[in-house]
Amino acid sequence: MASQLKSGGDTGAGMVLRLSKRFAYATATVFAAAGLVMLVGAADNVPPLRQRDPLFGVTTRTVLVLAGLSHLGISAWLFSTRDLMNHGLVFVWAGSNYLIYSLGMAVLQVTMPFPAVVVL
């Protein structure tokens, strides 16, 4: 293994580290793209934007603006930090937010599709 490192060979741990970094950057790019789509969608003038979000009680436009800004903030943070453990925690946290929102809508028995999904 030491000879592989000296000769420029790749170890399994190095490959996992590189793949993890690529995954983090790809996810940050997806977060940025989703945030931009949310902000552009919120700038439109379609009727679902004036509806109140059943879970938060504010307009769908407000939800999309806040979600878009948070996606862009998370993306910027993921691009600026290098700690893979923090990246993993952010991925789990962001994924659980989507799950909790969907569960909340299911508990309130909101019919599909949700107003924010219609806009996007």
Side-chain angles (χ1 to χ4, degrees):
M1 187 147 135
S3 63
Q4 281 182 335
L5 291 175
K6 287 181 183 178
S7 66
D10 193 15
T11 64
M15 186 182 309
V16 169
L17 184 64
R18 274 198 337 270
L19 289 174
S20 297
K21 287 181 182 178
R22 287 181 183 166
F23 176 77
Y25 291 137
T27 305
T29 303
V30 170
F31 270 106
L36 289 173
V37 167
M38 288 178 190
L39 290 176
V40 169
D44 201 355
N45 197 17
V46 293
L49 286 173
R50 292 185 289 274
Q51 292 178 357
R52 292 188 107 29
D53 185 75
L55 194 60
F56 296 120
V58 295
T59 63
T60 303
R61 183 184 313 273
T62 304
V63 171
L64 285 176
V65 168
L66 292 175
L69 291 174
S70 67
H71 274 74
L72 291 176
I74 290 169
S75 175
W77 186 81
L78 286 171
F79 276 121
S80 67
T81 61
R82 302 284 181 234
D83 186 15
L84 292 177
M85 182 62 79
N86 285 338
H87 286 175
L89 291 173
V90 168
F91 299 149
V92 170
W93 173 77
S96 65
N97 284 336
Y98 289 113
L99 180 66
I100 290 169
Y101 183 78
S102 296
L103 287 174
M105 294 299 238
V107 167
L108 293 175
Q109 298 177 347
V110 176
T111 58
M112 290 288 281
F114 307 140
V117 175
V118 171
V119 172
L120 296 178

